Every structure is written in C-alpha cells, then in structure tokens.
Amino acid sequence: MIEYLIQVPDARLSPGLVLDAPAGVDDFLVMFGDDETEARAQLLTDHAGRPLLRMGGYMKADGSVVDERVWTVTETERHGDRVRLRLGDALP
C-alpha cells in the first residue's frame, strides 16, 4: 500500500534531482511539477546494499509515456523524519 506522497519540482526525473522523502518508507507516490502527473516509486537496494529508486512507468500531461526506470541514488541525508535522496544515473 502506498502511504506517502512526495513532490518534485520538475516534470521528469534527472541525475542530480533531490527527492525529499519520508524516512523509513520504501513505497511512495511521486507528484511531478506539472501537478497532473504521478508515479509510484520504491526504494530498493542492489546486491552490494547500495540504494536504488524504481520509478514506475507513467503518462505525462502531454500524453507521452515514460517507461519504468531504476535510478541510482548517489546521496542520502536524513533530517529527522525525512530523507533527501539525490539521484544519480538511470540504469540501462
């Protein structure tokens, strides 16, 4: 069950983007900057224990489709009940 909603200022994800997510939660809904597009996101770890973000596929407000992608997370920084996740590159 998706319990949390987070917002990003852009209409898409890109390397360097910072997500302000709830700490201790690995499944949430992302609302994009166009205020119409949303997608499910899940925090995962790779075989070495490094964080990854799986962003489910979604349709943008202009009708274009973005396929599911897995992103590396280059930085995590906890602030109380929130965690800031800096995205790295998307995996092929």
Side-chain angles (χ1 to χ4, degrees), residues 20-86:
D20 181 31
V25 175
D26 60 2
D27 193 0
F28 45 88
L29 192 63
V30 174
M31 177 68 75
F32 290 91
D34 63 8
D35 292 327
E36 294 181 25
T37 305
E38 60 185 45
R40 181 179 177 184
Q42 292 178 294
L43 283 173
L44 310 168
T45 54
D46 68 9
H47 65 281
R50 294 176 295 229
L52 300 171
L53 180 76
R54 175 187 290 151
M55 179 63 63
Y58 57 95
M59 183 180 295
K60 296 184 345 182
D62 66 5
S64 60
V65 174
V66 177
D67 292 331
E68 177 178 285
R69 294 188 91 173
V70 176
W71 294 81
T72 59
V73 177
T74 60
E75 182 181 342
T76 60
E77 187 176 328
R78 188 166 180 158
H79 296 277
D81 63 348
R82 308 293 293 177
V83 63
R84 296 184 69 188
L85 308 168
R86 183 174 305 275

